[in-house]
């Protein structure tokens, strides 16, 4: 199959602290600001945003690009869309290219939504008749019917986004470049965008999809690459790339916490938490945690004396501080006593039913009364990543709320005869 995109030994260097001066008027403006700076020697720090990238993308392939912020993902898309140019290397993109990189990219603020649709189509080389055929579908997708003849400078960022993606997706580009900009849309719009890209996958168009939504990358993309410090660390099947990326980049401290260094705690200290670990069911340390995973929370403690009937509590909070659930041995696992010395208690959770996002964990050790031994509030922060828990290709995400419950559906079809016969018998 022919290649839509070919990159060979691609480099992109940026000079820190300097503004780009590719245009003549920018160079004149720089000279007017610093007219006598030419002869001065100046030490300039540089950074390689892209460092020797070679890549071929076949026609009709949907390529996902993952990596941390600053890895070079957006720089790569800007070079592919010719917004910026590489320092060195070869770039070949075959066919019409549409890019959705930032809110309002490619729009003229003084023109109306309708005029911008025709402007973008003309830039892509489409005749007016073809644009007219697509107009209704674009407007319906974007949901801006009432504002179609309003200058887009008066649009909200959400309207900008919807119209921009609708134009990019419906004007039949051969190559579509989509950055993390989808993250700013509402859940309903994100669903429409992902569905549109799924249709493109079956339509023979090439899509480069940059996103931190790893479930979307896994479900939509036929291939993925992991960018790290401007280099391709891995290229392969999305699931393999995502698994390796998460394993390598997840902070170990987020799933293993040394609690002896926590000073913001209260209680008499007769028993204290010393360590918290997130483990797999076979007691292996977890490097990342996905929605629906089985997990074991191992609570290490140290007791100074014999304590009868202690209660261990674990509270999990949202990133906004809302208590989502609390586990307590007082409810279902009464401990008769703990002896002086070190020990640990395992909290076994068969399905960690939290949606992707950031959460906080609090710990408490007490006896009824209450009398507190150790209280640590919001002492551990951890991340939950998306997963394809049901194997349906849809993924678990925050659109469905804060938590999810594993479930099954059952459909029973009632025929008309089933409803009529009891009536006849009576």
């Amino acid at each position: 199959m022919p290649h839509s995109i070919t990159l060979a030994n691609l480099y992109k260097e940026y000079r820190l602290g300097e503004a780009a001066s590719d245009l003549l008027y920018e160079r004149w403006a720089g000279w007017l600001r610093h007219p006598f700076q030419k002869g001065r020697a100046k030490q300039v720090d540089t950074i390689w945003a892209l460092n020797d990238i070679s890549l071929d993308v076949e026609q009709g392939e949907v390529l996902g690009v993952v990596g941390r912020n600053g890895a070079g993902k957006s720089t790569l898309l800007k070079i592919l869309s010719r917004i910026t140019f590489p320092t060195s290397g070869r770039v070949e993109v075959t066919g019409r290219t549409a890019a959705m990189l930032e809110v309002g990219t490619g729009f003229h603020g003084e023109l109306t939504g309708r005029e911008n649709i025709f402007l973008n189509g003309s830039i892509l080389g489409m005749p007016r008749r073809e644009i007219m055929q697509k107009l209704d579908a674009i407007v319906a997708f974007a949901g801006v019917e009432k504002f179609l003849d309003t200058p887009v400078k008066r649009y909200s960022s959400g309207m900008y986004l919807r119209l921009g993606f609708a134009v990019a997706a419906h004007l039949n580009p051969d190559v579509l470049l989509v950055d993390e900009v989808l993250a700013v849309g509402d859940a309903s719009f994100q669903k429409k965008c992902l569905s549109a890209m799924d249709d493109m996958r079956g339509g023979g168009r090439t899509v480069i999809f940059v996103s931190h939504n790893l479930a979307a990358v896994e479900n939509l993309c036929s291939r993925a690459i992991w960018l790290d410090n401007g280099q391709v660390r891995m290229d392969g099947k999305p699931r393999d790339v995502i698994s390796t990326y998460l394993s390598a980049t997840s902070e170990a401290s987020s799933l293993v916490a040394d609690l002896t260094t926590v000073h913001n705690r209260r209680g008499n200290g007769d028993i204290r938490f010393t360590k918290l670990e997130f483990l797999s069911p076979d007691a292996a340390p977890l490097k990342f945690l996905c929605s629906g995973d089985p997990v074991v929370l191992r609570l290490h403690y140290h007791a100074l004396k014999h304590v009868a009937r202690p209660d261990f509590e674990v509270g999990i909070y949202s990133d906004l501080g809302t208590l989502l659930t609390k586990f307590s041995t007082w409810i279902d696992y009464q401990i008769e006593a703990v002896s002086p010395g070190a020990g640990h208690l395992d909290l076994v959770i068969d399905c960690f039913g939290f949606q992707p996002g950031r959460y906080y964990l609090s710990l408490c050790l007490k006896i009824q009364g209450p009398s507190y031994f150790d209280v640590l509030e919001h002492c551990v922060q951890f991340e939950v990543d998306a997963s394809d828990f049901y194997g349906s290709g849809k993924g678990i995400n925050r659109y469905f709320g804060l938590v999810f419950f594993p479930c099954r559906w059952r459909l029973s079809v009632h025929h008309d005869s089933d409803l009529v016969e009891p009536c006849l018998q009576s």
Side-chain angles (χ1 to χ4, degrees):
M1 187 171 288
H3 293 157
S4 286
I5 298 172
T6 299
L7 307 177
N9 306 117
L10 189 66
Y11 291 84
K12 179 61 179 179
E13 181 186 35
Y14 286 110
R15 295 187 175 189
L16 302 180
E18 285 194 353
S21 55
D22 294 333
L23 303 179
L24 182 60
Y25 80 88
E26 292 175 337
R27 297 187 181 185
W28 272 105
W31 182 84
L32 290 174
R33 286 194 298 267
H34 309 287
F36 304 108
Q37 195 174 29
K38 183 177 180 180
R40 297 180 182 176
K42 183 180 179 181
Q43 184 69 30
V44 178
D45 292 328
T46 62
I47 184 173
W48 290 100
L50 298 177
N51 190 350
D52 193 17
I53 289 183
S54 296
L55 189 69
D56 292 321
V57 183
E58 293 183 353
Q59 179 182 337
E61 195 168 29
V62 181
L63 177 68
V65 184
V66 301
R68 287 188 168 187
N69 292 330
K73 305 186 300 296
S74 296
T75 300
L76 176 62
L77 291 197
K78 287 179 180 178
I79 289 176
L80 292 175
S81 58
R82 299 180 179 89
I83 292 176
T84 188
F85 298 94
T87 303
S88 64
R90 180 167 60 94
V91 180
E92 295 180 5
V93 181
T94 304
R96 298 188 301 204
T97 302
M100 193 61 196
L101 308 183
E102 298 175 2
V103 176
T105 299
F107 283 173
H108 191 297
E110 299 296 334
L111 300 181
T112 66
R114 186 190 305 273
E115 291 167 339
N116 270 290
I117 292 173
F118 282 94
L119 173 63
N120 276 263
S122 299
I123 292 173
L124 288 173
M126 299 177 65
R128 183 178 179 85
R129 178 180 297 177
E130 188 176 352
I131 302 173
M132 284 292 296
Q133 293 174 349
K134 300 286 184 179
L135 184 62
D136 290 342
I138 292 171
V139 174
F141 187 96
V144 294
E145 295 90 341
K146 294 182 180 180
F147 310 97
L148 190 59
D149 294 307
T150 301
V152 297
K153 68 180 182 181
R154 298 194 176 96
Y155 282 18
S156 67
S157 60
M159 293 165 63
Y160 248 123
L161 173 67
R162 294 198 301 273
L163 184 59
F165 186 88
V167 169
H170 286 80
L171 293 185
N172 290 335
D174 298 302
V175 178
L176 177 63
L177 310 174
V178 184
D179 204 349
E180 189 62 51
V181 65
L182 293 182
V184 304
D186 57 41
S188 176
F189 178 69
Q190 287 184 37
K191 189 175 181 180
K192 290 171 66 175
C193 292
L194 295 175
S195 177
M197 284 190 286
D198 194 30
D199 293 339
M200 291 178 198
R201 180 173 60 177
R205 284 181 278 179
T206 304
V207 180
I208 309 296
F209 180 42
V210 170
S211 180
H212 290 292
N213 185 339
L214 301 182
V217 172
E218 180 179 343
N219 297 332
L220 287 174
C221 301
S222 54
R223 174 184 166 200
I225 62 172
W226 166 25
L227 277 186
D228 184 38
N229 291 324
Q231 296 181 313
V232 177
R233 287 279 299 275
M234 187 175 179
D235 182 344
K237 294 182 179 179
R239 175 167 293 188
D240 296 338
V241 172
I242 290 169
S243 177
T244 304
Y245 164 62
L246 289 174
S247 297
T249 60
S250 296
E251 295 291 342
S253 61
S254 63
L255 295 180
V256 178
D258 180 7
L259 302 178
T260 60
T261 61
V262 178
H263 300 292
N264 185 22
R265 62 204 308 165
R266 57 188 175 89
N268 61 28
D270 288 346
I271 315 177
R272 283 203 164 188
F273 291 105
T274 57
K275 186 179 180 181
L276 170 69
E277 295 179 283
F278 286 77
L279 306 174
S280 67
D282 58 359
L286 291 178
K287 294 188 176 180
F288 58 90
L289 180 61
C290 294
S291 296
D293 279 356
V295 62
V296 176
L297 270 64
R298 177 160 292 178
L299 309 173
H300 295 263
Y301 66 86
H302 187 273
L304 297 180
K305 64 179 185 179
H306 182 276
V307 176
R309 305 182 73 83
D311 296 329
F312 288 74
E313 290 186 352
V314 177
I316 297 179
Y317 296 78
S318 72
D319 54 357
L320 297 179
T322 302
L323 175 63
L324 302 178
T325 190
K326 182 175 286 189
F327 304 94
S328 174
T329 57
W330 179 75
I331 299 175
D332 61 346
Y333 186 74
Q334 184 62 61
I335 299 172
E336 290 299 324
V338 296
S339 303
H344 70 260
L345 177 69
D346 287 346
L347 170 60
V348 180
I349 303 174
D350 295 326
C351 178
F352 203 71
F354 291 92
Q355 307 286 17
R358 176 176 298 170
Y359 298 89
Y360 294 90
L361 188 144
S362 295
L363 299 172
C364 179
L365 252 172
K366 62 183 179 64
I367 56 173
Q368 293 301 311
S371 178
Y372 294 97
F373 303 121
D374 200 15
V375 179
L376 298 87
E377 296 179 349
H378 293 71
C379 58
V380 176
Q381 172 187 303
F382 64 95
E383 300 278 346
V384 177
D385 294 302
S387 71
D388 187 13
F389 178 79
Y390 291 104
S392 63
K394 303 295 174 56
I396 299 287
N397 60 62
R398 289 298 285 267
Y399 166 75
F400 297 102
L402 292 174
V403 297
F404 78 95
F405 299 93
C407 63
R408 292 174 295 169
W409 296 85
R410 266 198 310 265
L411 173 65
S412 297
V413 178
H414 299 279
H415 300 288
D416 291 342
S417 59
D418 296 336
L419 300 177
V420 173
E421 287 179 0
C423 298
L424 294 175
Q425 291 174 356
S426 62

